[in-house]
Amino acid sequence: MAMSFRAKMITGIVLIEGLFLLAILMSSLGILSQSRKQALVTRAASDARLFATAAAHALVSDDIGALQRIVRQVLRNRGVTYAAAWDGDGRLLAHAGRNTVGAHTYQAVASVAVDKTSYGKVEIEVADRGFGPILEQAGRRIIVIALGEMLLTGLIFWIFGRYLMRQIAAIEAGTARIAQGEFGFQLPVTGGDELARMVAGFNGMSTQLKALQEEAAREHQQVLAANEQLKERIHERTEALAVANRELEYLAMHDPLTGLPNRILLQDRLLQVIRAGRREAASFALMILDIDGFKDVNDSLGHQAGDHLLQEVATRLVSRLRQSDTAVRLGGDEFAILLPGVAHGAGAEKVARKLLRTLEEPVVLGDRRVSVTASCGVALFPAHGDEVGVLLRHADRAMYEAKRGRRGFLVFAPAMDEEGDNRLRLQVDLEQAIGHGDLVLHYQPTIDLVTGKISGAEALVRWQHPVLGMLPPAQFVPLAERTHLMGPLTFYVLRLAATQARAWAEQARPLPIAVNVSAVNLDDNEFVESVGRILQDAGVASELIELEVTETALMRDPERAQAAIQALSELGVRVAIDDFGTGYSSMTYLRKLAVAKIKIDKSFVMDMGVSRNDSVIVRSIVDLGHSLGLKVVGEGVETAEAMAVLASLGCDYAQGFHLARPMDAPAFDRWRQEHA
Ligand code: C2E
Ligand code: MG
Ligand code: MG
């Protein structure tokens, strides 16, 4: 058990005090006993000397009887317990009493000498009778006194300690309360000593701690409130972020013009339906829809009208689709429609026809009413592919074929894909061919139906393909028209033709060469300028080059075509309308065009023999041309009869296999020599 501080203090004080007292008393007792002993030794010595003096006569005279009397006399003295006398030879002559030799006895010896002659010696023994026991008793009493004194001291200090410890105990209790988190209480302060001041200090500390505790609580409260606020703000921010995120996500996934989902979203959705389709063996159709002639709307009515048209198309598409279908704007004038559950081409066609019909209803753009046609291609999952990229490509291929054949709608067929692949490869090859000079010109003569003489040559391009052999223009000119290659191709042909025309002119047998120009070329604002530069570079007179533009190309953008033809004729280059009769141009329009010639489409000429209708058409074209002051050429003359009919109708020139097939330049030169 731990001893209390008070017990330790009292024990310490009592022990020290008792030991001190004991030491003081014991040492006084020692001094007392020492001085007593000294007195007895001195007395024994003086008694021995008196005994020797008294015994001297008896020894000298050798009177033993007297000696024994003296001995007994000595023994009668107080405290003497033994007396004895020896002669000079050491013989004991007389003695009395008992020789004890103890703690409380002291001996003294004195020699008996007369005139420096020794006659023997005497011995005396004194006992300290009575005083020793008194001292022992005193010792015991001292211990009792010391113990009593210690007890008393202990008692006094116990009482005093209680008084002193009162304050310390109070502090102890206070410390315990503080340890338990209780602050602000006050301990009673008694007196004004250090302990009282300590208690007062403790009270101050308790007050301070209370204040600190309250402040900490206030701060804690504030922190809690701030925390709450922060939480709220974080919540608000998170909400705002989520909203912004959703908006961004929406923007990333939608087309801003029409509000329809975009290509990214379509790909995502396709991926989903493909996965679901694989799991559940479900099918769907992917349709791609492309507006026909959208570029014309944009060019002639402006971009705003174009945008409006796209928005209108989007609205109409969505209005005719089911909720489960997804209409997407892929870009430009191209839309995609995802039709879940549509498993067959027939189902897709029904939807496509419905959509195409809705689009045909006129759209009001400014002061114009425009009717929109479009081309649709469909790929079916899983029949035509089970990957996003493949399905998109196949639907696109089908759309492309539908557009090319003016079919409105087509379901994908594997043959289209091969063609598509070939086309892509061809495009790359064609670009190289133009650069490498793999394109060659064949020339086909035209003859004057009145004189029968050669009147000109038409340059017809061919591609000497390293793998596919000699390719006719039908296999690569449309490709060039769809890509950026039409300009380079036409200028390349024009350069070759100009060079050839100049060569013939230099050989003193000049012959005009006709070069075919695509509608795409007329869209190029710098086209006329480029033609002029090429002729100049080749050093050829402009009347030796004619340009042929098909009637359909003219009608694509009549005003632009009219301006281009005007500029060309100002340059001295004559322009002919090719394949006339297929493009429905009006008389009024033709009148405005600065063309020199029209070439009747070969289909009419070739069929003149079988169809009366066609000969009527040919006749009316000839008359029309002449009435406008134009020369008329009959193309596709395959027989002598056809040529005769043309001549009889008053047609000016003829061109066709019956006269000559298109030939390379050396063959053409030979032919010309033979038919001079
Ligand atoms: P086109 O300008 O009407 O050329 C006449 C086409 O009719 C040529 O076909 C020619 O070979 C063919 N032809 C001539 N006489 C007869 C005949 O009696 N019977 C039949 N059935 N056909 C005959 P080709 O060379 O295959 O050219 C086809 C078309 O390709 C051309 O029609 C022209 O529009 C275009 N083309 C040819 N070369 C070029 C060129 O350098 N640039 C452009 N833009 N188009 C070209
Ligand atoms: Mg032609
Ligand atoms: Mg033609």
Side-chain angles (χ1 to χ4, degrees):
M1 197 185 77
M3 219 177 181
S4 77
F5 176 68
R6 183 147 58 118
K8 281 178 193 162
M9 198 177 76
I10 292 171
T11 311
I13 287 170
V14 165
L15 276 178
I16 291 165
E17 208 267 352
L19 284 175
F20 262 114
L21 192 69
L22 214 59
I24 291 167
L25 289 179
M26 288 310 240
S27 74
S28 353
L29 207 65
I31 292 165
L32 220 75
S33 102
Q34 198 60 42
S35 60
R36 168 78 186 167
K37 195 171 155 188
Q38 200 59 47
L40 281 174
V41 170
T42 314
R43 192 194 140 189
S46 76
D47 277 8
R49 273 194 306 276
L50 280 176
F51 182 19
T53 312
H57 183 69
L59 270 174
V60 172
S61 58
D62 214 7
D63 184 354
I64 302 297
L67 199 58
Q68 279 175 337
R69 270 190 314 273
I70 291 166
V71 167
R72 275 194 300 272
Q73 193 72 39
V74 169
L75 193 65
R76 269 198 294 271
N77 282 327
R78 209 170 70 95
V80 177
T81 54
Y82 180 67
W86 288 269
D87 65 9
D89 300 325
R91 274 188 310 250
L92 179 65
L93 299 177
H95 72 99
R98 222 161 9 108
N99 191 351
T100 46
V101 187
H104 302 292
T105 55
Y106 305 94
Q107 288 83 24
V109 177
S111 74
V112 180
V114 179
D115 296 334
K116 298 190 177 164
T117 310
S118 178
Y119 291 95
K121 64 170 184 179
V122 291
E123 185 192 328
I124 195 161
E125 188 179 287
V126 181
D128 184 12
R129 251 186 231 136
F131 202 70
I134 289 169
L135 275 183
E136 274 169 24
Q137 201 181 359
R140 277 195 296 277
R141 218 172 267 169
I142 281 168
I143 289 170
V144 171
I145 289 168
L147 283 176
E149 205 272 349
M150 280 161 79
L151 207 68
L152 194 67
T153 314
L155 192 70
I156 290 168
F157 270 91
W158 185 74
I159 295 164
F160 185 61
R162 241 177 97 94
Y163 166 73
L164 282 181
M165 289 308 284
R166 240 184 359 185
Q167 311 252 345
I168 293 179
I171 292 175
E172 190 193 3
T175 323
R177 285 166 77 179
I178 283 178
Q180 279 168 5
E182 189 188 333
F183 306 120
F185 58 85
Q186 297 293 298
L187 301 173
V189 182
T190 39
D193 59 6
E194 293 91 331
L195 282 176
R197 286 201 295 277
M198 200 162 135
V199 173
F202 185 90
N203 283 343
M205 196 170 83
S206 166
T207 313
Q208 283 274 347
L209 280 174
K210 177 80 181 168
L212 283 175
Q213 186 190 33
E214 279 166 3
E215 199 180 309
R218 263 196 311 280
E219 277 171 8
H220 181 64
Q221 216 53 38
Q222 281 170 358
V223 167
L224 281 184
N227 219 15
E228 216 38 54
Q229 260 180 357
L230 200 69
K231 261 194 218 160
E232 212 163 290
R233 288 221 338 241
I234 288 174
H235 181 71
E236 276 168 24
R237 282 287 163 88
T238 317
E239 282 286 293
L241 263 180
V243 170
N245 226 14
R246 276 197 294 276
E247 275 170 15
L248 274 179
E249 201 172 311
Y250 182 87
L251 284 179
M253 298 274 189
H254 288 79
D255 165 45
L257 180 69
T258 59
L260 289 184
N262 64 13
R263 188 182 283 274
I264 298 171
L265 197 141
L266 174 71
Q267 283 178 333
D268 195 54
R269 202 128 321 154
L270 270 174
L271 212 62
Q272 285 173 23
V273 286
I274 286 174
R275 281 192 193 134
R278 282 190 196 139
R279 262 199 319 273
E280 293 147 25
S283 23
F284 65 87
L286 173 66
M287 183 186 297
I288 287 185
L289 182 149
D290 190 283
I291 301 171
D292 298 331
F294 177 72
K295 190 177 178 306
D296 296 342
V297 173
N298 242 353
D299 287 349
S300 52
L301 302 179
H303 285 285
Q304 232 174 339
D307 285 354
H308 182 72
L309 180 66
L310 289 173
Q311 284 166 337
E312 183 60 29
V313 167
T315 312
R316 290 189 190 180
L317 289 182
V318 172
S319 74
R320 302 314 295 265
L321 289 172
R322 288 190 196 157
Q323 199 116 46
S324 54
D325 302 337
T326 310
V328 169
R329 183 179 173 211
L330 290 176
D333 57 352
E334 208 172 34
F335 296 83
I337 295 139
L338 184 62
L339 302 163
V342 174
H344 304 288
E349 177 159 13
K350 224 159 70 190
V351 180
R353 296 283 171 220
K354 188 170 71 177
L355 295 178
L356 292 176
R357 260 200 312 280
T358 342
L359 296 185
E360 271 166 27
E361 286 163 30
V363 185
V364 180
L365 298 175
D367 52 358
R368 298 277 281 273
R369 282 162 73 83
V370 179
S371 177
V372 178
T373 62
S375 307
C376 292
V378 163
L380 298 168
F381 170 89
H384 301 143
D386 61 354
E387 276 171 42
V388 173
V390 175
L391 282 168
L392 274 168
R393 188 156 50 85
H394 286 172
D396 194 61
R397 286 291 317 131
M399 183 280 291
Y400 176 78
E401 288 303 324
K403 184 164 287 232
R404 212 168 61 120
R406 295 172 191 272
R407 301 282 293 276
F409 168 87
L410 272 183
V411 178
F412 174 77
M416 294 178 185
D417 205 23
E418 274 165 36
E419 217 172 293
D421 284 352
N422 290 339
R423 207 173 307 234
L424 195 72
R425 217 171 305 128
L426 267 188
Q427 184 186 330
V428 178
D429 290 354
L430 181 60
E431 192 159 9
Q432 286 176 354
I434 296 170
H436 294 165
D438 289 342
L439 299 183
V440 294
L441 291 188
H442 281 191
Y443 298 94
Q444 189 181 27
T446 51
I447 59 139
D448 189 322
L449 280 171
V450 179
T451 62
K453 287 212 166 113
I454 184 162
S455 58
E458 178 172 10
L460 296 160
V461 70
R462 272 100 184 87
W463 178 4
Q464 187 61 61
H465 193 280
V467 182
L468 303 171
M470 188 72 92
L471 296 179
Q475 287 198 18
F476 59 93
V477 169
L479 174 68
E481 281 180 321
R482 273 204 321 279
T483 58
H484 60 283
L485 294 172
M486 201 56 231
L489 190 147
T490 300
F491 297 137
Y492 179 77
V493 169
L494 191 61
R495 249 177 248 120
L496 284 183
T499 312
Q500 184 61 68
R502 187 181 144 187
W504 284 332
E506 281 171 352
Q507 292 160 21
R509 41 194 188 122
L511 193 67
I513 300 178
V515 170
N516 292 283
V517 167
S518 159
V520 179
N521 296 133
L522 298 182
D523 293 339
D524 175 5
N525 288 330
E526 284 151 29
F527 177 69
V528 178
E529 205 181 307
S530 305
V531 170
R533 199 171 331 108
I534 289 170
L535 298 190
Q536 206 177 0
D537 289 351
V540 69
S542 53
E543 62 267 18
L544 287 180
I545 293 294
E546 268 176 28
L547 295 182
E548 293 185 7
V549 188
T550 61
E551 190 186 15
T552 36
L554 290 179
M555 295 319 289
R556 234 177 62 138
D557 189 347
E559 279 171 35
R560 187 188 277 269
Q562 188 192 338
I565 291 168
Q566 183 63 42
L568 285 167
S569 75
E570 281 164 19
L571 208 68
V573 177
R574 271 171 308 188
V575 177
I577 304 178
D578 205 354
D579 302 346
F580 193 86
T582 55
Y584 320 107
S585 51
S586 69
M587 179 82 171
T588 19
Y589 176 62
L590 282 179
R591 217 189 286 280
K592 291 189 204 158
L593 290 179
V595 290
K597 250 185 217 172
I598 49 180
K599 296 180 81 170
I600 308 170
D601 189 70
K602 58 178 174 283
S603 59
F604 303 115
V605 178
M606 287 182 330
D607 292 347
M608 274 190 316
V610 284
S611 153
R612 228 189 80 72
N613 212 3
D614 281 335
S615 49
V616 172
I617 291 174
V618 171
R619 177 196 296 270
S620 55
I621 293 176
V622 172
D623 292 346
L624 172 78
H626 286 168
S627 73
L628 290 170
L630 309 175
K631 296 289 186 191
V632 182
V633 187
E635 277 190 312
V637 180
E638 292 188 343
T639 58
E641 295 82 63
M643 190 153 91
V645 174
L646 279 179
S648 72
L649 291 175
C651 188
D652 304 287
Y653 307 102
Q655 178 184 354
F657 293 169
H658 171 65
L659 295 157
R661 290 188 171 257
M663 303 161 275
D664 60 19
F668 185 87
D669 281 338
R670 282 196 298 278
W671 181 89
R672 209 176 152 190
Q673 258 166 9
E674 285 163 21
H675 294 81

